[in-house]
Amino acid sequence: MRIELERRPKVSALFSILSPFIAFALTIVFGGIMFALLGKNPVAALYSFFVEPLSEVWSLHELAIKAAPLILIGVGLSVCFRSNNWNIGAEGQFIMGAIAGSILPVVFYDWQSPLMLPLMLVLGMIGGALFAAIPAFLKAHMNTNEILTSLMLVYVAQLFLDWLVRGPWRNPEGMNFPETRTFGADAILPEMLASGRTHWGFAFAIIAALAVWFMMRYTLRGFEITVLGQSERAGRFAGFSSRKMIWFSMLFSGALAGLAGISEVSGAIQQLRPVISPGYGFTAIIVAFLGRLNPLGIIAAGLVLALTYLGGEAAQLSIGVSDKVTRVFQGLLLFFVLSCDTLIHYRIRLVRERFAALKTDEAH
Amino acid sequence: MPVKGPIASGPLLAVSNLTKLFGSFAACNAINLHIEPGEIHALLGENGAGKSTLVKMLFGVLAPTAGEILWMGDNVRIGSPGDARKLGIGMVFQHFSLFEALTVAENIALSMDRSISLARVAEEASRLSHVYGLPLDPNAHVADLSVGERQRIEIVRALLQNPQLIILDEPTSVLTPQEADRLFETLLKLKAEGRSVLYISHRLEEVQRICDRATVLRHGKVTGACDPRAETPASLARMMVGNDVAVVTSEGTNTKGDVQLEARHLSVAARTPFAVSLKDVCLKVKAGEVLAIAGVAGNGQSELFDALSGEYPVADDNAVQIRQKPVGTRNINARRLMGAGFVPEERHGHAAVSSLSLSDNLVLARNQSDKRAFLGGGFLKIIRQGAVKAATKRISEAMDVRKSGEDPPAGSLSGGNLQKFIVGRELDRQPAVLIVNQPTWGVDAGAASRIRQALVDLAKAGSAVLVISQDLDEIFEVATEIAVICEGRLSDPYPARELSREKIGLLMGGMHGKTEGAGAAHAH
């Protein structure tokens, strides 16, 4: 006996919409079980994880700060994933964007100009895009698997950053801490609102999401992305080049990840450190799928996943569990999103017959 | 070999009220059918009529939802192909299940009892193949064999079980006319021995030629049982389709104009290990002509289409000419802008994206050729949904595309209706050159005749039309000139009126008209 997935003749429209919500509910249930197993009161723990962070103005600002990179990267990844290009290395592109954008405030720290910030943002996008160009080139011209190359390059980026802040870019006046100089006033992404710390990175995220939504829905470019993602052969018939699409989607998502990186560094951290991201580039993959690869859905999903970061910090303080709980919740969420989607498209069937293999051979 | 067991006086196989539901869809709806000993019984029907579902239930691949199967008068439950073989039912599938790396004897041995030695299997197989006129070398590797020879392996494999009923699913769809003739001789021999054959086909001529009785299916129901020899092709088609199929007319002479499409010594290396390379292909299609390229599947048809359409441009710019301008290195949209239109063989995932709406699929083929009408917003290239939807409606009406709703996903249309849309999408542009690969493959008779008429009319209106097809009936209906492709080589073109089926058959087998006498002797 074995288990088979059998394609459903018709996909339920209702459950397609409900799927992210069901996944979120299941995550809560299993999270509660996990807290109970840890010996905590599940209701109180879940409350401090998911509700408390939303109850104060400052923490709402923190939510927006954490959501900004998730949404920016997630929107870029949605273009990649829709076109059937699997960029898993946004974390590395985020770091390289942050490094490229930091060249001006770290190396040319005494230069003062209102051009400083716009140039940093542009450099950040270029840095992210160039780093994504490596897996793009390897896939387009060497037929390499981009999942592996983009993922492995993350470690290259992380170690490169580590070396920079401990070596050439270390702050000479920083008492040997592995940090760069703190950015000058011209190099800091300002706050959006008077009420708190949220910087303009959040606005970039929303603008990017709306722009990509418009592109996917109304323009020929969006159509090209959809067609090539569904069938390369049909795309070729339409005159679209899958090779060019590899370049476009990888560079585009790399640029947005780079913008997220420099925005985070310039707006929230204001210097480079050995670690500048709590895994935004990886979490954004969950954001993209939870948002159903739809830019508007990604805004909502980005806020939800940002909440898991805040909740993890809050739970660490108030109920004394490890902040690894955040990772567990993110993992549960991705698992349930993907399983819900699978079960919407397929049903599970137990196969007992001896001639099951023959059947599949003869089905086509 | 004598038939085993007592010959029952009643029918060999009787099926009553056999029903198969997939969800709420009845693929087979209360089918009644009986097969007498020693008859060749035809199962006729269009694609999707329920023929394959019925046969799969008889062979134990699918379980019936309701109804019963009587084998020599006994009510039986056929739970697996093994059960079916034990009863005495053998089957030859349309798609073969052979291992290419193994020899003929090894492939046959795989389906036999393990205790029988390979040498005995080989001996028995070659004896059977000799008796039934199915020459086979048991030690040949399957990879080296033609499609016809592979089919013989399947038939011999079925015969080794000494079956009383042999089911053949569309056996001639992959054969040349000569190979088909040999198959028919074998079937008549089986019949003479008292065995029964269930012969599934949609080719009316064949059915009339060899079958004693026919059962016709339409939409999962039996719509007729008859003696096919007492019917005309038109009356059989009516039972299959439900209404009279329009006959394609090509009255009047086409006025031929300048050469619109030309291939000059087009050679293309195989892109993959399974592809065929094109060797020095030359062809010319004038305005007003329909050049049909016949050939058995897998002889370079797709590769020729790819090179002519520009989906895979070639190195030599002069090798392909559209309206007397070299385009060999140009891509498909550049060729469309010069007035060419293309219809590939595969509907889903090539000519259309199943999950996208019809209007999106219109943009798929015409995003450059009609960019003035379909795109706006300058560099943003915003798709003008209004204009695209209007054109979709126009095409659907012109080609009588039946669909659920205004703009449904392409995947929800039946094969025939989607194909009408895909062809109509090109005709709507009135292309000067139209290249079509398998225009009516897997399409119902009504849609097929509509599409063929449209191709004929397009040529009459002064366009050059190239049709690549495996269907000889279709070729004779639409073509003014015929050439044959075999192993990537294209024969010289012949005027359609001067070419017989026998001649085409020889060309399909690789006799390129140069060694006709010797070739004919060899082929028979």
Side-chain angles (χ1 to χ4, degrees):
Chain A
M1 194 175 77
R2 62 204 165 79
I3 300 168
E4 258 185 10
L5 286 178
E6 189 179 66
R7 189 170 269 280
R8 289 180 195 270
K10 203 162 171 256
V11 171
S12 157
L14 177 68
F15 276 96
S16 297
I17 296 166
L18 285 181
S19 145
F21 299 97
I22 298 171
F24 189 65
L26 285 168
T27 306
I28 300 279
V29 170
F30 278 81
I33 294 172
M34 176 185 71
F35 282 129
L37 290 174
L38 288 170
K40 313 285 176 190
N41 176 353
V43 175
L46 285 171
Y47 180 84
S48 66
F49 200 96
F50 284 109
V51 184
E52 250 173 30
L54 298 175
S55 57
E56 293 193 54
V57 174
W58 71 265
S59 58
L60 287 176
H61 280 281
E62 292 303 312
L63 187 73
I65 288 174
K66 294 219 160 20
L70 292 177
I71 296 170
L72 257 182
I73 304 170
V75 163
L77 289 183
S78 75
V79 169
C80 254
F81 295 166
R82 276 204 182 266
S83 68
N84 209 12
N85 289 299
W86 301 94
N87 178 7
I88 306 298
E91 180 81 3
Q93 293 139 26
F94 176 95
I95 292 169
M96 286 312 216
I99 292 172
S102 301
I103 293 172
L104 292 179
V106 173
V107 180
F108 305 98
Y109 57 91
D110 46 5
W111 184 52
Q112 290 185 352
S113 159
L115 281 176
M116 177 74 123
L117 193 59
L119 280 177
M120 282 167 62
L121 296 175
V122 170
L123 279 174
M125 300 213 296
I126 292 174
L130 281 181
F131 204 55
I134 301 171
F137 172 80
L138 290 173
K139 180 176 185 185
H141 298 279
M142 311 278 178
N143 209 13
T144 327
N145 184 321
E146 77 280 16
I147 299 178
L148 293 177
T149 52
S150 64
L151 176 64
M152 290 192 291
L153 282 167
V154 170
Y155 307 110
V156 174
Q158 285 173 340
L159 292 170
F160 181 59
L161 172 66
D162 193 82
W163 172 74
L164 270 183
V165 295
R166 289 175 202 279
W169 280 15
R170 188 175 53 197
N171 185 357
E173 292 132 40
M175 308 207 277
N176 262 343
F177 278 109
E179 295 170 350
T180 63
R181 290 172 190 279
T182 49
F183 292 2
D186 282 344
I188 289 175
L189 198 58
E191 286 156 5
M192 273 170 71
L193 302 165
S195 62
R197 270 181 10 107
T198 309
H199 55 75
W200 280 89
F202 190 70
F204 297 158
I206 302 298
I207 292 167
L210 291 175
V212 170
W213 173 79
F214 182 85
M215 173 177 82
M216 294 304 294
R217 193 177 161 87
Y218 293 108
T219 71
L220 187 66
R221 172 64 73 169
F223 180 72
E224 181 180 347
I225 292 166
T226 309
V227 168
L228 281 170
Q230 300 264 332
S231 163
E232 193 198 326
R233 198 65 223 256
R236 186 179 282 277
F237 178 69
F240 303 146
S241 156
S242 55
R243 187 175 282 184
K244 281 186 193 151
M245 182 51 67
I246 294 171
W247 281 104
F248 172 79
S249 66
M250 294 294 278
L251 293 188
F252 183 79
S253 62
L256 286 190
L259 178 63
I262 188 58
S263 301
E264 172 77 6
V265 168
S266 157
I269 311 177
Q270 297 162 7
Q271 63 178 176
L272 283 179
R273 296 177 189 156
V275 173
I276 54 171
S277 157
Y280 286 136
F282 293 119
T283 306
I285 297 169
I286 308 177
V287 169
F289 278 104
L290 188 64
R292 324 233 69 193
L293 302 182
N294 175 328
L296 303 184
I298 286 169
I299 296 178
L303 291 167
V304 170
L305 266 299
L307 185 59
T308 64
Y309 278 119
L310 283 191
E313 287 170 14
Q316 202 176 1
L317 293 175
S318 59
I319 56 175
V321 294
S322 156
D323 66 347
K324 292 284 180 291
V325 167
T326 301
R327 287 265 158 225
V328 175
F329 269 103
Q330 293 181 352
L332 282 174
L333 198 50
L334 179 63
F335 175 78
F336 285 123
V337 170
L338 295 181
S339 359
C340 282
D341 282 357
T342 304
L343 289 179
I344 286 171
H345 285 97
Y346 299 89
R347 66 170 135 244
I348 294 177
R349 207 164 61 104
L350 294 178
V351 182
R352 288 164 199 277
E353 299 100 307
R354 269 178 51 226
F355 284 89
L358 191 68
K359 269 187 195 177
T360 46
D361 282 345
E362 287 157 4
H364 43 81
Chain B
M1 189 165 22
V3 175
K4 71 175 176 191
I7 303 290
S9 54
L12 178 68
L13 177 86
V15 162
S16 78
N17 289 319
L18 203 64
T19 300
K20 177 70 188 177
L21 300 176
F22 292 108
S24 60
F25 170 72
C28 284
N29 193 349
I31 304 279
N32 290 302
L33 164 82
H34 63 99
I35 299 171
E36 301 295 337
E39 76 168 350
I40 302 183
H41 191 112
L43 191 57
L44 272 169
E46 295 186 330
N47 290 287
K51 292 173 302 194
S52 294
T53 308
L54 174 60
V55 169
K56 280 180 181 167
M57 288 192 285
L58 295 180
F59 199 57
V61 178
L62 287 174
T65 313
E68 51 191 29
I69 301 172
L70 298 172
W71 178 254
M72 298 196 282
D74 298 330
N75 195 341
V76 289
R77 202 191 75 83
I78 304 174
S80 70
D83 290 354
R85 285 194 199 102
K86 265 181 228 147
L87 285 175
I89 301 176
M91 172 132 190
V92 177
F93 284 96
Q94 190 176 4
H95 301 281
F96 309 142
S97 44
L98 298 170
F99 292 97
E100 298 214 341
L102 300 184
T103 66
V104 172
E106 285 165 339
N107 265 290
I108 293 173
L110 281 173
S111 65
M112 310 271 296
D113 199 329
R114 270 181 217 177
S115 59
I116 304 169
S117 75
L118 196 60
R120 262 205 60 203
V121 170
E123 194 183 308
E124 184 69 0
S126 83
R127 191 186 65 77
L128 270 180
S129 67
H130 187 70
V131 168
Y132 291 101
L134 301 164
L136 262 186
D137 172 7
N139 297 315
H141 282 94
V142 170
D144 301 331
L145 301 182
S146 72
V147 184
E149 288 170 311
R150 291 179 196 207
Q151 188 181 52
R152 284 182 215 153
I153 306 175
E154 294 271 355
I155 295 174
V156 167
R157 189 150 84 171
L159 287 174
L160 275 169
Q161 314 273 351
N162 192 19
Q164 281 155 287
L165 172 65
I166 298 162
I167 304 172
L168 294 132
D169 192 359
E170 303 269 0
T172 55
S173 62
V174 291
L175 301 182
T176 63
Q178 283 81 2
E179 285 175 321
D181 283 343
R182 241 170 299 162
L183 174 69
F184 296 153
E185 283 166 25
T186 306
L187 296 185
L188 292 173
K189 192 153 193 168
L190 292 170
K191 175 186 160 181
E193 289 179 350
R195 296 176 206 270
S196 308
V197 175
L198 182 59
Y199 187 88
I200 303 168
S201 183
H202 62 256
R203 298 196 177 176
L204 305 174
E205 284 84 3
E206 288 172 15
V207 167
Q208 288 194 304
R209 192 167 142 196
I210 60 162
C211 296
D212 306 304
R213 279 193 315 128
T215 299
V216 186
L217 293 186
R218 185 167 79 234
H219 302 317
K221 287 187 185 150
V222 175
T223 52
C226 59
D227 176 355
R229 285 162 193 163
E231 303 285 332
T232 63
S235 67
L236 283 173
R238 195 156 48 236
M239 277 188 255
M240 272 168 64
V241 188
N243 52 10
D244 278 295
V245 178
V247 177
V248 176
T249 55
S250 53
E251 279 159 18
T253 47
N254 294 26
T255 42
K256 292 188 182 174
D258 296 335
V259 173
Q260 298 283 323
L261 172 70
E262 188 174 356
R264 290 185 185 169
H265 306 288
L266 173 65
S267 294
V268 181
R271 255 194 331 276
T272 68
F274 307 104
V276 176
S277 58
L278 296 177
K279 299 161 193 100
D280 199 31
V281 169
C282 296
L283 63 84
K284 278 184 187 168
V285 192
K286 293 183 185 143
E289 266 182 359
V290 181
L291 172 65
I293 296 183
V296 176
N299 272 290
Q301 288 95 330
S302 312
E303 290 79 4
L304 179 61
F305 181 85
D306 289 347
L308 293 179
S309 70
E311 286 181 278
Y312 290 90
V314 295
D316 176 7
D317 205 32
N318 284 311
V320 181
Q321 312 242 344
I322 288 176
R323 301 176 86 181
Q324 300 174 347
K325 293 202 177 61
V327 295
T329 57
R330 315 287 302 275
N331 68 18
I332 187 168
N333 275 333
R335 299 186 196 192
R336 284 186 176 118
L337 286 170
M338 298 178 70
F342 307 99
V343 178
E345 174 180 7
E346 181 60 43
R347 285 185 280 282
H348 296 285
H350 189 173
V353 179
S354 319
S355 61
L356 297 183
S357 66
L358 283 186
S359 59
D360 279 346
N361 276 299
L362 178 59
V363 178
L364 188 78
R366 289 170 52 176
N367 60 74
Q368 289 308 303
S369 56
D370 293 65
K371 65 181 167 194
R372 290 229 180 87
F374 290 167
L375 300 179
F379 78 98
L380 285 178
K381 295 189 183 165
I382 294 170
I383 297 170
R384 288 190 175 138
Q385 287 298 338
V388 176
K389 290 228 160 73
T392 305
K393 190 155 180 266
R394 183 173 73 224
I395 293 164
S396 301
E397 278 165 11
M399 288 302 283
D400 185 26
V401 177
R402 314 222 179 122
K403 53 195 164 69
S404 57
E406 192 65 23
D407 194 15
S412 73
L413 269 64
S414 73
N417 281 308
L418 181 56
Q419 187 71 2
K420 281 193 279 186
F421 182 80
I422 289 168
V423 174
R425 175 173 80 179
E426 304 301 332
L427 296 177
D428 184 57
R429 285 177 54 210
Q430 296 173 313
V433 175
L434 183 66
I435 301 174
V436 193
N437 192 6
Q438 316 299 347
T440 60
W441 182 249
V443 160
D444 61 84
S449 103
R450 171 125 210 162
I451 289 168
R452 290 171 192 167
Q453 186 67 56
L455 298 177
V456 169
D457 293 346
L458 183 70
K460 286 215 180 305
S463 299
V465 180
L466 178 73
V467 173
I468 303 172
S469 176
Q470 292 166 48
D471 185 337
L472 288 184
D473 298 339
E474 169 169 275
I475 285 176
F476 279 107
E477 270 184 80
V478 301
T480 60
E481 320 282 319
I482 300 176
V484 177
I485 192 166
C486 179
E487 289 173 356
R489 289 178 210 280
L490 191 69
S491 75
D492 295 334
Y494 300 87
R497 278 172 205 168
E498 295 172 16
L499 206 56
S500 65
R501 276 169 198 261
E502 284 63 37
K503 178 78 189 290
I504 290 191
L506 291 175
L507 292 169
M508 280 160 81
M511 315 297 146
H512 272 245
K514 281 138 201 163
T515 52
E516 250 165 67
H522 174 73
H524 282 289

